[in-house]
Amino acid sequence: RHRLSVLLHPHRYERDLDEEFRFHLDLEEMQQADARAGPLPDAAARSAVRRRFGNVAYLKEETRRMTGLGFLDIMAQDVRFAWRSFRRTPGFTLVAVLTLAIGIGANTAIFSAVNALLLRPLPFEDPARLMKVSLVRPARGEEPATDDMIWSYPKYAVFRDAQRVFQSIGLYNDFQVTLTGGTEAERENIETTAGGYLPTLGLQPVLGRNFLPDEDLHPGGRRSVLLSDALWKRRFNADPTILGRAIDLDAQPYTVVGVLPSGFRGLSGRAEIWIPVASVWPSEMSEREAWAHSWTLIARRKPGVTSEQAKAAVAVLGRRVDATYPHPEFHEEHWGAAVRDLDATRVDPIVRSSLLILLGAVGLVLVIACANVANLFLVRATGRHREIAVRLAVGASRGRLIRQLLTESVMVALLGGAASLAVAWWGVRLLAALNPLDALRVREINGLGAVNFASIHLDPAAFLFAAVVALLTGVLFGLVPAFQATRPSLVSELKEGTAPLQGGRARRAFTSRNMLSVVEIALALVLLAASGLMLRSLANLLGVNPGFDADHVLTMRLNLPEASFSRDSMPGFYDQLTERLGALPGVTGVALADCPPLNGGCSGTDLELPDRPAPAPGNERIVGIHWVTAAWFSALHVPLLRGRSFTSSDRLNGRRAVLVSESSAKRYWPGEDPVGRPVQPGQGGFSNDTGYVIGVVGDVRFGTLDSLPKPDVYLPYSQSPRSGMMIYVRTSGDPLAIAGVARHALHDLAPDIPVYDMRTMTARVADAASQARFSALLLALFAAVALLLAAIGIYGVISFGVSQRTRELGIRVALGAARSDVIRLVVGHGVALAVVGSAIGLAGAFLATRVLRSMLFDVAPFDPMIFAAAVALLSAAAIAASWVPARRAATVDPVEALRDE
C-alpha cells in the first residue's frame, strides 16, 4: 500500500521525505547544542550536524532503494533517455513504429476474429453445460456414416421422456414467413421451437413472457409469437403496448407475448420471430412423421453431470430411439445418438481451419517485422559504439546497458502497439467486408449463427493481446542488438574518431544482420508460396463452368401464402407475373425455379425406374429434383442436349414430363437414350403416376463449384405447382438497373406478397467462392506485406554495408574497378541473401503448404510453378532493393573516400 501511494503521489512522498530529514537534522542540532558547554553559532552548528549526519541526498536515495522504488527511478531515467534519443532520430523511430504497427495490428485483427468465432464464450448463461445432441446414421451405399443428423419430433419425444442427465432440452428449426399488417409486407426469418429451447439457453424475454407449456406441447392451442428486439424497434417503434397485439404470419393471426433480449437472433443467427411448433406444424408431432428429420436438438446438462456421463447416457438413449422407430425400409440399419459440447459446433471446420491458417500466416508477418526492426536497431547500435564504450569505461555494467537498450526497444514496440490499434480497426472492418459466413450459411455450412463476423470488434481482450504482443516483440527484437552493441572494443572505440569495423567483430555484426535478412526472406517465401497456391486455387474455382450463364440475370424470391392461393391458382398468378416482367424495357427473358444454382440445400429424392429392377437397399437412385418453368433453360443458357424442353402443353392433368441432366443420363441409362423412358421421382406427385423423360439438358452445379455435378431431374412447374419460387429476369444490360422497376411491378400485382433476396446471378456465383476468396485475398495481403518488409530489410543491410565499406569501394575504384563491377558486387550481396533465404524458405514452404491441402482446388500443395514464381518474385525484390545502394556505391569518389578515412 505504501509503495502504491508513492507511485500515485510521488510529489507528496518527496515532501514527506524532506520533512522527515529536516526533523532529524533539527533534532541532531538540538542534541549537539545541549551536549556542548556553550551553544555553537547557528551556521557552525548546522555545518557540524550535516557532517555528522552524512550526505542527505545519498540517504534519500538509500531510503527510496530500501522501499523498493529504486528500480522505478532507474526505469524512469531510461525512459527519459530513450525518449530524447528517439527525438534526435525521428526517421528511424517512424519507420520502426510503422513496421511494428503493421505487424501487431494485423495480428490483433485476426486475433479478434479468432477470439469472436472460436474462443469467446457463447453468449448464453453458463455455456459450458450446453450440448448439441444428434442422431447417428450408419453408412449407406456411397453415403458415408454421419454423427450429426437432425431429429424428427417423434424421436425427440422418445428421447425427452427417457433422458435423466439433462436439466432441459429443446428443439428448433428455421425457415421464413411473410409478416403482414401495418406497414409493407416483409419476409422474415423465423425459428420454430419445441421443448425448452429458450430456457435451455438461459434466455428470458425483456418484455412479456416465454411460451407456456400448453402453447408448446398441445396442438391447436393459442398461436403465440416472440419478437426479436431488432424487429420490435424497427417495425413496431419499440411500442411497449405490443404485448397482446395480433400480427399476421403467412396470413395466420398470432398474438405477441414477449420481446427477447437485444442481439439475440437464435442459434440460426438470423431469426426475428419465434413460434412454438404446436401452433404452426401440429402434424410434425404425429408419430407418422418419425422419419421427417428437420429439427436440431440442444440440451443443458444437470449440475454435476460430466460430458462423459452425458455421452454414455445419450448412446444408450440412441438405441432406445432406434428400437422405437426402426427404419421402415432397411431393417438391418440401426441408428444411434451422439452428443458434443455446443461450443465445439460453433463454426464449421472449414471456417476454423481458415482462421487458424490466417493466424499462423499473420504471425509470420509479425516475425518478419520484428526481424526488420531488429536490423534497424543493429544499424543504430553500430553508430553508438563510442557512446557505449565510454559508458562501459566509466564503470557502467553490461547488464545496466542491456537494460537501457531493451527499454528503448520496448518503448518502440509499445508505440508500435498503440499505433497498431488503428491498423487493427481497419483490419476488423476489412474482415467484416469480406465476411464469408452469410454466403456459407446459404449453402448450409454447419455452425452456430449466433457466432458470426458481426460479433468481431476490438474488445478488452484484443487490447490486452496487442499490449502483450507489443511487450514480447519489444524484447524479441531488442535482445540481439542489445547483446551485440554491448560488446565493443574499448581501445579502438575510445581512440580519436570511430574506427571502422575490423576482424571478427565486424564479421559477427555483419553476420547478425545477414541472418535476420535471411530469416525475413525465408518467411516471406513461405507466405508467397502459400498465397500463390490459394490464388491459383481461387482462379481454378472461378474458372469452373457452372453449367449456366450468370451474366445479365437478376434473381428474386416470392412465396405465395397457401392460405390465399390454391394449388390450381398458383400457375395463373405466376403467368401474370412473368408477363408483366417480360414487358419491362430491357428484359429479354423471365423464368421461375424453386432453387438457384450454387445454392446447396436444394431438394433431393429417390428416383424409381419402372422398367428397371429395384436397386438393392442402400443403393437407391438419389437425384436432385427441381421445379422450373419452360423458359428457365433458355434464360440461363442451359443447353438442351437431346429431345425437347418443356412447353406450354405440359400442364396439369397432362402426361407427366421430366427432363434429366447429362449426369443422370450417364449414370442411370449408360450407353442408352433415356428419352421416352418412364420415371417416378419420390417428390412431385408421382406416387400414383408415371412421368416420361422428354429430353436431356446440360449439367448445372446446384451444390458447390468444387464438387462434380450430381444427377438431377427437372419437373415443369405447371404440372407440379409450388408456393415458393425464385424469379429469373435476363436483361440486355445491367440487371440491377431494372431492380426497382421489377419490384414495383410485383408490388402492383400483389401488394401483400413481399419480394426478397433480390440479387444478381453473378453475385450468387461470387458467393459460391466466398470462402476461397476470403482466405486467398488475406493470404495475398499478408504475403505482399511480408515481401515489402523483406525488401526493406535487404535494402537496410545492403545500404549499411555500403556505408561501412566506403573506403574499400573507393580503393577498388582508384585501382581501376569499373562502376559496373561495383554495382555487380553490391547487388551480388543482395542476391546471395535472396538465394540463401529462398533455399531455407523453399524447405519451409514445402512443409507449411501441406496444411493447405484441404483448401486447394485442382492445384497440388507443392506446385513447382507456384514455388518458382515465388522465388522469382522474391529475387526481383532483392535485386530492386539492392539496386539503389549499389548505384550510390558506384558513385563513390575515391579521393573523398580516402580523405574521410
Side-chain angles (χ1 to χ4, degrees):
R1 186 166 62 249
H2 170 68
R3 291 172 180 170
L4 182 61
S5 175
V6 172
L7 289 174
L8 296 178
H9 307 286
H11 298 295
R12 188 171 66 188
Y13 174 74
E14 290 293 336
R15 186 175 63 251
D16 293 344
L17 199 60
D18 286 340
E19 291 178 0
E20 182 177 355
F21 274 97
R22 278 198 301 272
F23 166 76
H24 286 295
L25 289 171
D26 292 343
L27 181 61
E28 181 70 17
E29 188 174 344
M30 288 188 294
Q31 290 175 345
Q32 289 288 340
D34 291 340
R36 295 178 181 277
L40 293 173
D42 289 346
R46 189 172 299 109
S47 178
V49 167
R50 286 185 175 276
R51 286 195 302 271
R52 180 181 178 86
F53 190 79
N55 188 322
V56 175
Y58 171 76
L59 292 174
K60 280 186 176 181
E61 291 300 318
E62 283 296 297
T63 302
R64 289 185 61 84
R65 185 183 63 81
M66 293 177 67
T67 59
L69 299 171
F71 174 79
L72 295 177
D73 291 336
I74 296 173
M75 181 64 69
Q77 295 172 10
D78 289 345
V79 170
R80 287 193 294 271
F81 180 84
W83 182 250
R84 290 195 298 270
S85 174
F86 293 146
R87 291 181 63 183
R88 289 195 299 269
T89 56
F92 162 83
T93 305
L94 181 62
V95 171
V97 168
L98 289 180
T99 300
L100 290 174
I102 293 172
I104 298 174
N107 274 269
T108 303
I110 297 298
F111 169 79
S112 297
V114 172
N115 182 46
L117 300 180
L118 302 181
L119 304 179
R120 188 185 300 159
L122 294 174
F124 307 120
E125 178 185 340
D126 196 7
R129 290 166 52 201
L130 291 174
M131 307 193 82
K132 178 182 178 182
V133 187
S134 305
L135 291 173
V136 177
R137 189 200 67 198
R140 179 192 301 169
E142 298 180 357
E143 296 183 47
T146 178
D147 61 353
D148 198 25
M149 283 291 294
I150 54 180
W151 292 72
S152 66
Y153 191 95
K155 290 183 179 181
Y156 151 75
V158 173
F159 183 90
R160 176 197 63 199
D161 297 339
Q163 71 86 20
R164 297 293 181 271
V165 293
F166 297 112
Q167 177 178 313
S168 61
I169 60 176
L171 290 179
Y172 78 95
N173 70 3
D174 67 301
F175 61 104
Q176 291 184 322
V177 296
T178 299
L179 172 62
T180 55
T183 59
E184 184 179 354
E186 294 180 3
R187 194 69 178 170
E188 302 291 354
N189 291 293
I190 186 172
E191 282 186 350
T192 307
T193 70
Y197 171 65
L198 294 172
T200 297
L201 296 176
L203 291 171
Q204 291 294 330
V206 295
L207 184 68
R209 61 169 176 83
N210 214 327
F211 295 132
L212 299 176
D214 64 327
E215 296 168 334
D216 193 37
L217 294 175
H218 304 299
R222 181 183 180 186
R223 294 177 180 267
S224 300
V225 63
L226 291 167
L227 306 179
S228 72
D229 179 79
L231 180 64
W232 177 51
K233 292 177 178 176
R234 171 174 55 82
R235 188 174 177 94
F236 302 103
N237 298 316
D239 184 359
T241 64
I242 189 67
L243 300 181
R245 187 184 304 178
I247 62 174
D248 290 338
L249 303 179
D250 283 345
Q252 297 292 330
Y254 285 79
T255 302
V256 178
V257 298
V259 177
L260 291 178
S262 175
F264 179 69
R265 299 192 63 187
L267 292 182
S268 66
R270 50 181 179 248
E272 299 282 9
I273 297 171
W274 289 262
I275 58 177
V277 61
S279 65
V280 61
W281 285 340
S283 60
E284 290 275 339
M285 305 171 72
S286 169
E287 291 191 1
R288 295 190 301 272
E289 302 296 325
W291 287 91
H293 298 116
S294 56
W295 300 88
T296 300
L297 172 58
I298 60 169
R300 178 179 291 274
R301 294 196 311 268
K302 289 181 177 179
V305 175
T306 66
S307 288
E308 296 303 320
Q309 290 173 330
K311 291 177 182 178
V314 167
V316 174
L317 291 170
R319 291 191 289 271
R320 177 177 295 189
V321 171
D322 181 65
T324 305
Y325 294 109
H327 199 287
E329 298 179 22
F330 312 122
H331 304 297
E332 301 300 321
E333 182 177 286
H334 296 290
W335 288 44
V339 65
R340 58 179 62 84
D341 290 338
L342 189 64
D343 187 74
T345 67
R346 59 194 300 155
V347 296
D348 189 89
I350 295 176
V351 179
R352 184 185 301 271
S353 299
S354 297
L355 286 174
L356 294 180
I357 288 172
L358 290 174
L359 185 62
V362 80
L364 294 184
V365 172
L366 180 59
V367 174
I368 294 173
C370 288
N372 214 325
V373 176
N375 249 332
L376 290 175
F377 269 83
L378 277 173
V379 172
R380 183 170 183 265
T382 302
R384 300 174 65 185
H385 276 155
R386 183 173 175 79
E387 169 204 334
I388 292 171
V390 170
R391 297 178 69 176
L392 288 172
V394 298
S397 67
R398 189 184 181 207
R400 178 69 182 83
L401 292 178
I402 289 175
R403 185 167 61 185
Q404 167 67 51
L405 296 175
L406 283 179
T407 299
E408 295 178 7
S409 64
V410 170
M411 278 190 64
V412 169
L414 291 177
L415 290 173
S420 73
L421 296 180
V423 178
W425 176 83
W426 178 84
V428 167
R429 290 176 62 87
L430 176 63
L431 290 174
L434 294 175
N435 178 12
L437 289 190
D438 287 340
L440 291 175
R441 196 175 294 124
V442 169
R443 293 170 49 204
E444 298 189 342
I445 294 292
N446 294 324
L448 300 180
V451 178
N452 54 59
F453 274 61
S455 63
I456 301 175
H457 56 272
L458 295 180
D459 57 5
F463 295 143
L464 178 62
F465 175 85
V468 171
V469 170
L471 286 172
L472 291 178
T473 53
V475 174
L476 177 65
F477 72 73
L479 279 176
V480 173
F483 280 104
Q484 188 71 54
T486 54
R487 298 174 58 188
S489 173
L490 297 184
V491 176
S492 61
E493 295 295 348
L494 294 177
K495 289 180 180 179
E496 187 68 25
T498 302
L501 295 175
Q502 301 290 339
R505 183 172 58 80
R507 288 191 295 271
R508 285 194 299 272
F510 196 56
T511 300
S512 298
R513 288 187 292 275
N514 285 345
M515 288 179 60
L516 288 172
S517 293
V518 165
V519 169
E520 292 183 62
I521 293 169
L523 296 180
L525 181 62
V526 173
L527 288 176
L528 283 172
S531 67
L533 290 172
M534 290 298 295
L535 289 173
R536 177 72 175 274
S537 175
L538 177 62
N540 292 341
L541 196 63
L542 295 177
V544 168
N545 179 14
F548 60 92
D549 180 10
D551 293 338
H552 306 295
V553 176
L554 180 69
T555 63
M556 62 199 87
R557 285 186 184 272
L558 277 184
N559 270 76
L560 304 182
E562 295 182 5
S564 304
F565 288 86
S566 66
R567 180 173 179 269
D568 294 339
S569 65
M570 289 179 185
F573 172 83
Y574 279 122
D575 286 344
Q576 295 181 55
L577 177 60
T578 55
E579 183 179 350
R580 288 202 179 197
L581 292 177
L584 295 177
V587 173
T588 60
V590 182
L592 304 176
D594 68 310
C595 186
L598 299 177
N599 180 77
C602 295
S603 296
T605 188
D606 61 312
L607 181 68
E608 293 186 15
L609 304 180
D611 60 344
R612 300 285 179 88
N619 295 312
E620 292 78 13
R621 306 180 185 95
I622 304 299
V623 296
I625 185 168
H626 310 278
W627 287 259
V628 301
T629 57
W632 186 80
F633 300 99
S634 60
L636 289 185
H637 296 172
V638 178
L640 177 66
L641 305 180
R642 196 176 307 155
R644 69 171 179 88
S645 186
F646 297 136
T647 65
S648 58
S649 62
D650 297 314
R651 309 292 295 184
L652 285 171
N653 303 319
R655 175 169 165 161
R656 304 296 296 272
V658 178
L659 283 168
V660 299
S661 67
E662 185 178 9
S663 291
S664 294
K666 290 180 178 178
R667 176 173 294 189
Y668 302 126
W669 294 276
E672 302 178 51
D673 184 0
V675 176
R677 297 296 181 90
V679 291
Q680 285 185 318
Q683 297 184 44
F686 285 85
S687 57
N688 298 316
D689 203 351
T690 298
Y692 294 87
V693 177
I694 62 171
V696 179
V697 295
D699 284 327
V700 175
R701 296 178 189 251
F702 286 93
T704 61
L705 281 171
D706 56 354
S707 60
L708 294 175
K710 296 181 179 180
D712 291 302
V713 299
Y714 299 88
L715 307 182
Y717 173 78
S718 55
Q719 287 188 339
S720 183
R722 295 171 67 86
S723 59
M725 297 295 284
M726 175 162 280
I727 306 167
Y728 299 77
V729 181
R730 176 166 286 280
T731 64
S732 56
D734 181 7
L736 291 177
I738 68 158
V741 181
R743 186 185 292 274
H744 184 71
L746 293 173
H747 184 267
D748 286 346
L749 182 62
D752 291 334
I753 301 176
V755 180
Y756 64 102
D757 196 17
M758 181 177 283
R759 303 166 66 204
T760 65
M761 201 66 220
T762 304
R764 296 184 184 277
V765 174
D767 282 346
S770 60
Q771 174 62 25
R773 182 182 294 105
F774 173 78
S775 300
L777 290 181
L778 286 184
L779 267 180
L781 177 62
F782 298 153
V785 172
L787 181 63
L788 176 62
L789 293 177
I792 292 173
I794 295 172
Y795 170 81
V797 168
I798 301 301
S799 182
F800 179 75
V802 168
S803 67
Q804 292 297 99
R805 301 172 65 186
T806 301
R807 187 167 186 267
E808 172 198 337
L809 295 173
I811 293 173
R812 287 175 179 268
V813 174
L815 293 177
R819 304 291 182 183
S820 59
D821 295 331
V822 175
I823 292 177
R824 191 181 307 112
L825 176 67
V826 177
V827 173
H829 184 194
V831 172
L833 292 177
V835 169
V836 176
S838 297
I840 299 173
L842 283 174
F846 184 81
L847 297 174
T849 53
R850 296 174 65 182
V851 302
L852 299 176
R853 187 188 299 272
S854 63
M855 301 175 63
L856 299 177
F857 174 70
D858 201 24
V859 58
F862 317 121
D863 190 303
M865 294 296 293
I866 299 296
F867 279 47
V871 171
L873 183 59
L874 200 52
S875 300
I879 293 173
S882 306
W883 183 257
V884 176
R887 290 294 302 271
R888 188 173 70 248
T891 61
V892 169
D893 186 343
V895 177
E896 293 296 329
L898 295 175
R899 180 182 296 126
D900 290 342
E901 293 297 331

Coordinates of all heavy atoms in Angstrom, one line a residue, residues 506-546:
A506 N 33.6 -7.4 -36.7 CA 32.9 -6.9 -37.9 C 32.1 -8.0 -38.6 O 31.0 -7.9 -39.0 CB 33.9 -6.3 -38.8
R507 N 32.8 -9.1 -38.7 CA 32.1 -10.3 -39.3 C 30.9 -10.7 -38.6 O 29.9 -11.0 -39.1 CB 33.1 -11.4 -39.5 CG 34.2 -11.2 -40.6 CD 34.9 -12.4 -40.9 NE 35.7 -12.9 -39.8 CZ 36.9 -12.5 -39.5 NH1 37.5 -11.7 -40.3 NH2 37.6 -13.0 -38.5
R508 N 31.0 -10.7 -37.2 CA 29.9 -11.2 -36.4 C 28.7 -10.2 -36.5 O 27.6 -10.6 -36.7 CB 30.3 -11.3 -34.9 CG 31.1 -12.5 -34.6 CD 31.2 -12.8 -33.2 NE 31.8 -11.7 -32.5 CZ 33.1 -11.6 -32.3 NH1 33.9 -12.5 -32.7 NH2 33.6 -10.5 -31.6
A509 N 29.0 -8.9 -36.5 CA 28.0 -7.9 -36.6 C 27.3 -8.0 -37.9 O 26.1 -7.9 -38.1 CB 28.5 -6.5 -36.4
F510 N 28.1 -8.1 -39.0 CA 27.5 -8.2 -40.3 C 26.7 -9.5 -40.5 O 25.7 -9.5 -41.1 CB 28.7 -8.1 -41.3 CG 28.2 -7.9 -42.7 CD1 27.5 -6.7 -43.0 CD2 28.5 -8.7 -43.8 CE1 27.1 -6.4 -44.3 CE2 28.1 -8.5 -45.0 CZ 27.4 -7.3 -45.3
T511 N 27.2 -10.6 -39.9 CA 26.5 -11.8 -40.0 C 25.2 -11.8 -39.3 O 24.2 -12.3 -39.7 CB 27.4 -13.0 -39.4 OG1 28.6 -13.0 -40.1 CG2 26.6 -14.3 -39.5
S512 N 25.1 -11.1 -38.2 CA 23.8 -10.9 -37.4 C 22.8 -10.3 -38.3 O 21.6 -10.7 -38.4 CB 24.0 -10.1 -36.2 OG 24.9 -10.7 -35.3
R513 N 23.2 -9.2 -39.0 CA 22.2 -8.5 -39.9 C 21.8 -9.4 -41.1 O 20.7 -9.5 -41.5 CB 22.8 -7.2 -40.4 CG 22.8 -6.1 -39.3 CD 23.3 -4.8 -39.8 NE 24.6 -4.8 -40.2 CZ 25.7 -4.6 -39.4 NH1 25.5 -4.4 -38.1 NH2 26.9 -4.6 -39.9
N514 N 22.8 -10.1 -41.6 CA 22.6 -11.0 -42.7 C 21.6 -12.1 -42.3 O 20.7 -12.5 -43.1 CB 23.9 -11.6 -43.2 CG 24.7 -10.7 -44.1 OD1 24.2 -9.6 -44.5 ND2 25.9 -11.0 -44.3
M515 N 21.8 -12.7 -41.1 CA 20.9 -13.8 -40.7 C 19.5 -13.3 -40.5 O 18.5 -14.0 -40.9 CB 21.5 -14.3 -39.4 CG 22.7 -15.1 -39.5 SD 23.3 -15.7 -37.9 CE 21.9 -16.7 -37.4
L516 N 19.3 -12.1 -40.0 CA 18.0 -11.5 -39.8 C 17.3 -11.3 -41.2 O 16.1 -11.6 -41.4 CB 18.0 -10.2 -39.1 CG 18.3 -10.4 -37.6 CD1 18.5 -9.0 -36.9 CD2 17.2 -11.1 -36.8
S517 N 18.1 -10.9 -42.2 CA 17.5 -10.7 -43.5 C 17.2 -12.0 -44.2 O 16.2 -12.2 -44.8 CB 18.6 -9.9 -44.4 OG 18.7 -8.6 -44.0
V518 N 18.0 -13.0 -43.9 CA 17.7 -14.4 -44.5 C 16.5 -14.9 -43.9 O 15.6 -15.5 -44.5 CB 18.9 -15.3 -44.2 CG1 18.5 -16.8 -44.4 CG2 20.1 -14.9 -45.1
V519 N 16.2 -14.7 -42.5 CA 15.0 -15.1 -41.9 C 13.8 -14.4 -42.5 O 12.8 -15.0 -42.8 CB 15.1 -14.8 -40.4 CG1 13.7 -15.0 -39.8 CG2 16.1 -15.7 -39.7
E520 N 13.9 -13.1 -42.8 CA 12.8 -12.4 -43.4 C 12.5 -13.0 -44.8 O 11.3 -13.2 -45.2 CB 13.2 -10.9 -43.6 CG 13.3 -10.1 -42.3 CD 13.6 -8.7 -42.5 OE1 12.8 -8.0 -43.2 OE2 14.7 -8.2 -42.1
I521 N 13.5 -13.2 -45.6 CA 13.4 -13.7 -46.9 C 12.7 -15.1 -46.9 O 11.8 -15.4 -47.7 CB 14.7 -13.8 -47.7 CG1 15.2 -12.4 -47.9 CG2 14.6 -14.5 -49.0 CD1 16.7 -12.3 -48.4
A522 N 13.2 -16.0 -46.0 CA 12.6 -17.3 -45.9 C 11.2 -17.3 -45.5 O 10.3 -18.0 -46.2 CB 13.4 -18.1 -44.9
L523 N 10.8 -16.5 -44.5 CA 9.4 -16.5 -44.1 C 8.5 -15.8 -45.2 O 7.4 -16.2 -45.4 CB 9.3 -15.7 -42.8 CG 10.0 -16.3 -41.6 CD1 9.8 -15.5 -40.3 CD2 9.4 -17.7 -41.3
A524 N 9.1 -14.8 -45.9 CA 8.3 -14.2 -46.9 C 8.0 -15.2 -48.1 O 7.0 -15.2 -48.7 CB 9.1 -13.0 -47.5
L525 N 9.0 -16.0 -48.3 CA 8.8 -17.0 -49.4 C 7.7 -18.0 -49.0 O 6.9 -18.4 -49.9 CB 10.1 -17.8 -49.7 CG 10.1 -18.8 -50.8 CD1 9.7 -18.1 -52.1 CD2 11.4 -19.5 -50.9
V526 N 7.7 -18.4 -47.7 CA 6.6 -19.3 -47.3 C 5.3 -18.7 -47.5 O 4.3 -19.3 -48.1 CB 6.8 -19.6 -45.8 CG1 5.6 -20.4 -45.3 CG2 8.1 -20.4 -45.6
L527 N 5.1 -17.4 -47.2 CA 3.8 -16.7 -47.4 C 3.5 -16.5 -48.9 O 2.4 -16.6 -49.3 CB 3.8 -15.4 -46.7 CG 3.8 -15.4 -45.2 CD1 3.9 -14.1 -44.5 CD2 2.5 -16.1 -44.7
L528 N 4.6 -16.2 -49.7 CA 4.3 -16.0 -51.1 C 3.9 -17.3 -51.7 O 3.0 -17.4 -52.6 CB 5.6 -15.5 -51.8 CG 6.0 -14.1 -51.6 CD1 7.4 -13.8 -52.1 CD2 4.9 -13.2 -52.3
A529 N 4.5 -18.4 -51.4 CA 4.1 -19.7 -51.9 C 2.7 -20.1 -51.5 O 1.9 -20.6 -52.3 CB 5.1 -20.8 -51.5
A530 N 2.4 -19.9 -50.2 CA 1.0 -20.2 -49.8 C 0.0 -19.3 -50.5 O -1.1 -19.8 -50.9 CB 0.9 -20.0 -48.3
S531 N 0.2 -18.0 -50.6 CA -0.7 -17.2 -51.2 C -0.8 -17.5 -52.7 O -1.9 -17.4 -53.3 CB -0.3 -15.7 -51.0 OG 0.9 -15.4 -51.7
G532 N 0.3 -17.9 -53.3 CA 0.2 -18.2 -54.8 C -0.6 -19.5 -55.0 O -1.4 -19.5 -55.9
L533 N -0.5 -20.4 -54.1 CA -1.4 -21.6 -54.2 C -2.8 -21.3 -54.0 O -3.7 -21.8 -54.8 CB -0.9 -22.7 -53.2 CG 0.4 -23.3 -53.4 CD1 0.8 -24.2 -52.2 CD2 0.4 -24.2 -54.6
M534 N -3.1 -20.4 -53.0 CA -4.5 -20.1 -52.8 C -5.1 -19.3 -54.0 O -6.2 -19.4 -54.3 CB -4.6 -19.3 -51.5 CG -4.4 -20.1 -50.2 SD -5.6 -21.5 -50.0 CE -7.1 -20.5 -49.8
L535 N -4.3 -18.4 -54.5 CA -4.8 -17.6 -55.7 C -5.0 -18.5 -56.9 O -5.9 -18.3 -57.6 CB -3.8 -16.4 -56.0 CG -3.7 -15.3 -54.9 CD1 -2.6 -14.3 -55.3 CD2 -5.1 -14.6 -54.9
R536 N -4.1 -19.4 -57.1 CA -4.2 -20.3 -58.2 C -5.5 -21.2 -58.0 O -6.2 -21.4 -58.9 CB -3.0 -21.2 -58.3 CG -3.0 -22.3 -59.4 CD -2.9 -21.7 -60.8 NE -2.9 -22.7 -61.8 CZ -1.8 -23.4 -62.2 NH1 -0.6 -23.0 -61.6 NH2 -1.8 -24.3 -63.1
S537 N -5.7 -21.6 -56.8 CA -6.9 -22.4 -56.5 C -8.1 -21.6 -56.7 O -9.1 -22.1 -57.3 CB -6.8 -22.9 -55.0 OG -8.0 -23.5 -54.6
L538 N -8.1 -20.3 -56.3 CA -9.3 -19.4 -56.5 C -9.5 -19.2 -58.0 O -10.7 -19.3 -58.4 CB -9.0 -18.1 -55.8 CG -10.1 -17.1 -56.0 CD1 -11.5 -17.5 -55.4 CD2 -9.7 -15.7 -55.3
A539 N -8.4 -19.0 -58.8 CA -8.6 -18.9 -60.2 C -9.2 -20.1 -60.8 O -10.1 -20.0 -61.7 CB -7.3 -18.5 -60.8
N540 N -8.8 -21.3 -60.4 CA -9.3 -22.5 -60.9 C -10.8 -22.7 -60.6 O -11.6 -23.1 -61.4 CB -8.5 -23.7 -60.3 CG -7.1 -23.8 -60.9 OD1 -6.8 -23.2 -61.9 ND2 -6.3 -24.6 -60.2
L541 N -11.1 -22.3 -59.3 CA -12.5 -22.4 -58.9 C -13.4 -21.4 -59.7 O -14.5 -21.8 -60.1 CB -12.6 -22.0 -57.4 CG -13.9 -22.4 -56.6 CD1 -14.0 -23.9 -56.6 CD2 -13.8 -21.9 -55.2
L542 N -12.9 -20.2 -59.9 CA -13.7 -19.2 -60.7 C -13.8 -19.6 -62.1 O -14.7 -19.2 -62.9 CB -13.2 -17.8 -60.5 CG -13.2 -17.2 -59.1 CD1 -12.6 -15.9 -59.0 CD2 -14.7 -17.2 -58.6
G543 N -12.8 -20.4 -62.6 CA -12.8 -20.8 -64.0 C -13.7 -22.0 -64.3 O -13.9 -22.5 -65.4
V544 N -14.3 -22.6 -63.2 CA -15.2 -23.8 -63.4 C -16.4 -23.4 -64.1 O -17.0 -22.3 -63.8 CB -15.5 -24.4 -62.0 CG1 -16.7 -25.4 -62.2 CG2 -14.3 -25.1 -61.4
N545 N -16.9 -24.2 -65.1 CA -18.1 -23.9 -65.8 C -19.3 -24.4 -64.9 O -19.4 -25.6 -64.7 CB -18.1 -24.7 -67.1 CG -19.4 -24.4 -67.9 OD1 -20.2 -23.6 -67.6 ND2 -19.6 -25.3 -68.9
P546 N -20.1 -23.5 -64.4 CA -21.2 -23.9 -63.5 C -22.4 -24.5 -64.3 O -23.3 -25.0 -63.7 CB -21.6 -22.6 -62.9 CG -21.3 -21.5 -63.8 CD -20.1 -22.0 -64.6

